[in-house]
Amino acid sequence: MDQFGNGVERGTVVAQEIQGPYGKIAIEEGVIATISGVAATECYGLVGMAPRNIQEGLSDLLRRENYERGVDIQFNEDSISIQLYIVVEYGVKISEVARNVQERVKYAVESLLGLKVDRINVKVQGVRVTRPTRK
């Protein structure tokens, strides 16, 4: 428990701390991952985020939509790097979808959080047919 009676999750990484006139503001790694995941899933041609590992895949079976899934954050000295694991829709140009994801995630993180994004790596983990092509 913290000083306000809230449960504090262990293992969270504080990405940014800002000292304001009324106190400290801390932005955790999960916030960056959620913003990145939401921005990515808004892109045309993206079906969803892929699990980063087997443990994440199994835990996803037990809960609802998790925007942090498929997002890895690495902290550099004055910037961050983001790695996204995605699944794209069959029939779209994969390079265009990946480029759009990079641009949208970079814009969202930099504009909403004020963090400098050094690079965004996109790993396409699969292709999914979302609508049948039978006539």
Side-chain angles (χ1 to χ4, degrees), residues 11-115:
T12 57
V13 176
V14 175
Q16 184 178 33
E17 286 189 355
I18 303 165
Q19 183 62 44
Y22 304 111
K24 182 171 58 170
I25 301 167
I27 300 172
E28 294 184 359
E29 180 181 5
V31 173
I32 301 168
T34 299
I35 289 172
S36 299
V38 169
T41 56
E42 291 175 345
C43 291
Y44 173 78
L46 188 104
V47 176
M49 304 299 286
R52 295 173 288 193
N53 53 43
I54 292 173
Q55 180 183 0
E56 188 177 77
L58 292 175
S59 67
D60 283 342
L61 295 174
L62 304 173
R63 62 177 176 214
R64 62 177 198 261
E65 183 63 33
N66 178 6
Y67 289 110
E68 294 179 39
R69 179 178 67 183
V71 181
D72 275 336
I73 310 291
Q74 290 183 328
F75 298 95
N76 308 323
E77 289 195 22
D78 61 344
S79 63
I80 61 170
S81 296
I82 302 170
Q83 188 152 310
L84 301 167
Y85 299 86
I86 66 170
V87 177
V88 296
E89 183 177 348
Y90 176 78
V92 298
K93 189 172 181 180
I94 293 173
S95 61
E96 281 297 310
V97 173
R99 187 184 55 76
N100 288 339
V101 167
Q102 287 174 322
E103 289 175 358
R104 181 165 280 179
V105 170
K106 180 178 170 77
Y107 176 78
V109 171
E110 288 184 345
S111 64
L112 294 175
L113 299 174
L115 297 173

